[in-house]
Amino acid sequence: MRPRHRTPRLLGSLLLVAAAGISVAGAAPVAGAAPADPPAAAKAATPLDRVVPAPASVDAGGTPYRITSGTRIRVDDSREARRVGEYLADVLRPSTGYRLPVTSGGGAGIRLKLGATSLGAEGYRLDSGKSGVTITAKGPAGLFHGVQTLRQLLPASVEEDSVQPGPWLVAGGTIEDQPRYGYRGAMLDVARHFFTVDQVKRYIDQLALYKVNKLHLHLSDDQGWRLAIDSWPRLATYGGSTQVGGGPGGYYTKADYKEIVRYAGSRHLEVVPEIDMPGHTNAALASYAELNCDGVAPPLYTGTEVGFSSLCVSKDVTYDFVDDVIRELAALTPGKYLHIGGDEAHSTSHEDYVAFMDRVQPVVAKYGKTVVGWHQLTGATPAKGALAQYWGLDSTSAEEKERVAAAARNGTGLVLSPADRVYLDMKYTKDTPLGLDWAGYVEVRRSYDWDPGNYLAGAPGSAVQGVEAPLWTETVSTSAHIDYMAFPRLPGVAELGWSPASTHDWDAYKVRLAAQGPRWEALGIGYYRSPQVPWPAE
Ligand code: ACM
């Protein structure tokens, strides 16, 4: 059942989840005298397999490596490898207080090495022993993911932005790791509430920690248009001028948007931009009267209903508009995908919906991009190579599920975002002060405990390109709100996307997840302390 209403409950009682800053990478190296190395503590190093997402293979053993004031980060002579080295140094310097120079060449210390592995474009090998830690990967994305693993092998206090005592031990042994799926996404709805470039960057940093590699931005909806389009300027200046609840909204200039794309790229995430069409378009319809079949612009909308707006499928100007928007957006998009929405088009007839998608999908291809659409796209004819993002529920009709499965058998790729599993805007329980509940309550175990490989009956496992955790923002308007709804569910979805099915085990996962709590505290992430997870005592 698709909801027609998404009216937030308890809007009046939105809690103020502890707002806090995050220690972002980029802090300056600590000047002056480095602190003396503390004596080696009896405290054991974090076991190599206590990482989220679970590594594909772990061979623990041998002497731990200890990061000290003399440690160097050694990188191959490549700009990309050096960049990953600098990122690692930025993470480690504030809390260790060490200089950690990034230098080229071999030797003891932390080594980031580009080299042949059989672990794919994103995989890496991490070897740790007495004289150092070496991360080897085919490409910079693999080095970056290896660095995230190394980060989690260090004590949670490594995430603090002031000098901590250490010691900084990395357990001995070898990890060989690579992702199960190439598409490991998170979506942020910046339309219902606008989020600034810095707020988006904060989320990107959180996603990177869990090896998420796609940031889907829901850039337009009934309540707001969030990206400047030169050929249709009122979309942003007028259509972006409000949001749910009537606040001031906002939009990204092209320079802002490029900065988001650049920052995401520096964390090895690809931005998947979405312009939702033909429904969810009130902000555009309000900005340009000619886009409406009756030529009359509706008022801006600040409520939370869905399904009441549609571009005018029979007008040529609609396709001029779509062409201009997709052209300008594709030019800002280094990634492969462009998402055209297609959900909840309740005010578009089926015939019009099919005609619209038949005309719009080739425009995406014309500008060199691959179509992604919400799974309703499978009710039209998905373009060759298109991905359908499935957001159904257990209770979705067999007919609708079969339509998606049939498209998958026919070559349409699937990204799985079942709303009653991975919609991060669903309340955890009836008492969750933020979020919606039309897909039910989604506690941490429920969001983790399913297998993307055999989730949708009748869809071949090979059609599944990955998973994505969408965060709709009808009730979410601050970074503290994002933190509270994403954590601890987001890391579980990231694990479903990365880790081999053979590692899937709730009882083991919840222990690894619990160990992340202190890390989030050090990062200033206010999370939901689910009673399902054995968190360390506060
Ligand atoms: C959706 O939740 N309407 C994709």
Side-chain angles (χ1 to χ4, degrees):
M1 275 292 292
R2 293 188 294 255
R4 290 194 70 102
H5 300 279
R6 296 169 151 208
T7 308
R9 308 275 157 85
L10 292 174
L11 248 188
S13 68
L14 295 187
L15 91 176
L16 267 178
V17 183
I22 188 170
S23 63
V24 290
V30 176
D37 295 323
K43 217 167 120 183
T46 301
L48 287 190
D49 57 2
R50 193 161 301 165
V51 172
V52 177
S57 114
V58 172
D59 184 8
T63 316
Y65 174 63
R66 179 156 175 216
I67 299 175
T68 68
S69 55
T71 296
R72 287 168 175 265
I73 297 174
R74 300 180 189 274
V75 295
D76 277 5
D77 228 356
S78 116
R79 242 178 63 198
E80 301 267 36
R82 176 165 288 271
R83 229 178 257 151
V84 180
E86 296 288 356
Y87 169 94
L88 175 62
D90 285 344
V91 170
L92 301 182
R93 281 172 185 150
S95 53
T96 61
Y98 302 152
R99 282 184 58 240
L100 301 172
V102 180
T103 62
S104 47
I110 299 172
R111 177 105 201 269
L112 304 183
K113 199 171 145 200
L114 289 170
T117 73
S118 56
L119 299 166
E122 291 193 292
Y124 67 91
R125 178 185 162 107
L126 184 151
D127 296 291
S128 173
K130 189 171 170 32
S131 65
V133 173
T134 300
I135 298 172
T136 311
K138 199 167 142 194
L143 290 181
F144 187 80
H145 297 319
V147 157
Q148 301 307 326
T149 296
L150 173 58
R151 213 173 144 180
Q152 289 191 27
L153 294 174
L154 290 164
S157 58
V158 80
E159 310 294 347
E160 298 279 358
D161 56 12
S162 61
V163 176
Q164 304 295 312
W168 309 106
L169 294 173
V170 182
T174 296
I175 292 174
E176 286 195 330
D177 204 7
Q178 63 181 324
R180 180 178 183 189
Y181 295 114
Y183 193 116
R184 306 180 306 279
M187 187 207 80
L188 185 63
D189 170 10
V190 297
R192 269 49 176 275
H193 279 98
F194 180 65
F195 292 86
T196 64
V197 173
D198 282 347
Q199 287 174 313
V200 175
K201 286 182 178 180
R202 174 185 164 88
Y203 200 39
I204 288 170
D205 279 329
Q206 295 172 356
L207 300 175
L209 182 50
Y210 296 100
K211 304 185 174 77
V212 171
N213 69 351
K214 302 281 183 280
L215 173 67
H216 169 184
L217 288 176
H218 184 73
L219 290 168
S220 66
D221 213 301
D222 292 317
Q223 299 86 346
W225 185 286
R226 305 301 179 200
L227 178 65
I229 298 292
D230 296 336
S231 47
W232 298 75
R234 269 175 64 80
L235 290 171
T237 58
Y238 183 69
S241 66
T242 193
Q243 60 186 358
V244 167
Y251 66 89
Y252 306 120
T253 64
K254 286 196 168 175
D256 289 338
Y257 190 75
K258 283 182 190 160
E259 176 58 13
I260 292 173
V261 169
R262 182 202 67 75
Y263 194 83
S266 76
R267 271 78 179 140
H268 295 277
L269 278 95
E270 177 179 320
V271 174
V272 179
E274 178 188 356
I275 298 295
D276 203 345
M277 306 180 270
H280 290 278
T281 42
N282 188 76
L285 297 168
S287 303
Y288 287 97
E290 63 264 43
L291 295 177
N292 296 270
C293 283
D294 62 3
V296 178
L300 293 170
Y301 182 69
T302 61
T304 58
E305 302 287 306
V306 299
F308 60 88
S309 56
S310 181
L311 293 173
C312 188
V313 171
S314 59
K315 276 188 164 179
D316 282 343
V317 68
T318 296
Y319 303 95
D320 295 340
F321 164 81
V322 168
D323 194 287
D324 287 337
V325 169
I326 291 179
R327 173 173 45 76
E328 292 193 35
L329 182 55
L332 293 169
T333 303
K336 177 176 176 188
Y337 298 110
L338 201 150
H339 200 308
I340 56 172
D343 58 321
E344 294 174 317
H346 305 315
S347 299
T348 317
S349 70
H350 176 68
E351 192 188 10
D352 276 359
Y353 182 85
V354 172
F356 180 83
M357 289 304 181
D358 281 350
R359 232 169 130 174
V360 166
Q361 292 182 91
V363 180
V364 176
K366 178 170 84 170
Y367 293 114
K369 300 300 169 189
T370 297
V371 167
V372 188
W374 298 106
H375 75 256
Q376 283 72 25
L377 179 63
T378 62
T381 311
K384 195 166 179 311
L387 299 184
Q389 185 169 7
Y390 180 73
W391 60 283
L393 322 175
D394 286 354
S395 61
T396 292
S397 71
E399 186 192 347
E400 186 169 340
K401 287 176 177 162
E402 172 51 25
R403 193 181 314 124
V404 179
R409 291 194 297 273
N410 224 8
T412 298
L414 298 180
V415 174
L416 297 178
S417 300
D420 55 354
R421 298 278 183 182
V422 304
Y423 266 32
L424 299 177
D425 58 312
M426 289 302 122
K427 291 174 180 292
Y428 296 97
T429 72
K430 68 177 178 27
D431 296 323
T432 308
L434 297 166
L436 307 180
D437 61 7
W438 59 260
Y441 303 125
V442 182
E443 251 287 8
V444 179
R445 179 170 186 168
R446 184 167 174 81
S447 67
Y448 166 80
D449 223 355
W450 59 286
D451 180 3
N454 61 18
Y455 177 73
L456 193 63
S462 59
V464 178
Q465 304 298 304
V467 292
E468 182 179 294
L471 178 49
W472 301 98
T473 60
E474 285 95 336
T475 68
V476 168
S477 59
T478 66
S479 285
H481 292 168
I482 294 176
D483 292 358
Y484 189 76
M485 299 310 278
F487 290 87
R489 290 179 292 201
L490 171 80
V493 185
E495 173 148 325
L496 291 176
W498 180 279
S499 305
S502 58
T503 63
H504 189 95
D505 175 15
W506 165 254
D507 287 326
Y509 173 68
K510 72 181 179 190
V511 174
R512 283 184 290 114
L513 184 63
Q516 301 292 309
R519 192 165 302 272
W520 301 335
E521 280 157 34
L523 287 166
I525 298 173
Y527 61 98
Y528 165 59
R529 283 179 70 88
S530 166
Q532 297 183 331
V533 180
W535 309 107
E538 271 180 298

